[in-house]
Amino acid sequence: MLFLIRATLAGSLVGATMTAGIALAAVDGVPNFNVDPSCQAAAQQAAAADSITVCRNSEQRARDEIARQWPQLNAADKAQCVPAAKAGGHPTYTELLTCLEMARDIRKLHSNGQPTTTGPGVK
């Protein structure tokens, strides 16, 4: 499932970075998400009794990491990733952190002149 989320976010990021003239929304601070619906859904699928606690702890660690990085994050990445994380209806900090990390990595690849696709390319 995480692969599907990452693949979807990657597609969104590539499309958005190629679109010129994107209006950037102001993203003042780390958003506050209610991760309980997502953690409850995950707990229903898991066999472990403490899975909701594990999920909440994982989400708190992801939020803490986002808060630590927030001042240095690119404003365009924030403006793109926060709404993307909310798009499914039950946002998680893990999704937001993944989106922000992928956006940062894509920006690094572009600045280094690296291609953002894999495979043999066009010859």
Side-chain angles (χ1 to χ4, degrees):
M1 181 169 176
L2 184 57
F3 173 78
L4 179 60
I5 291 169
R6 285 186 176 177
T8 301
L9 288 173
S12 297
L13 285 172
V14 171
T17 56
M18 296 172 76
T19 303
I22 296 174
L24 300 177
V27 181
D28 296 329
V30 178
N32 291 310
F33 295 157
N34 177 8
V35 297
D36 281 344
S38 180
C39 285
Q40 288 170 356
Q44 288 175 350
Q45 300 298 317
D50 66 340
S51 58
I52 195 162
T53 302
V54 170
C55 178
R56 286 179 181 147
N57 290 341
S58 176
E59 287 300 315
Q60 185 60 52
R61 284 190 303 275
R63 188 186 193 292
D64 292 345
E65 181 62 21
I66 292 166
R68 186 184 68 74
Q69 295 179 21
W70 196 258
Q72 292 82 34
L73 292 170
N74 182 282
D77 296 345
K78 294 178 197 177
Q80 178 181 330
C81 289
V82 171
K86 293 179 180 180
H90 299 294
T92 66
Y93 294 107
T94 303
E95 289 175 290
L96 177 57
L97 182 59
T98 299
C99 180
L100 292 166
E101 288 173 342
M102 289 172 50
R104 178 202 60 214
D105 292 347
I106 289 170
R107 187 175 321 293
K108 283 182 184 177
L109 286 173
H110 282 272
S111 69
N112 292 335
Q114 298 284 329
T116 56
T117 60
T118 59
V122 178
K123 293 182 181 184

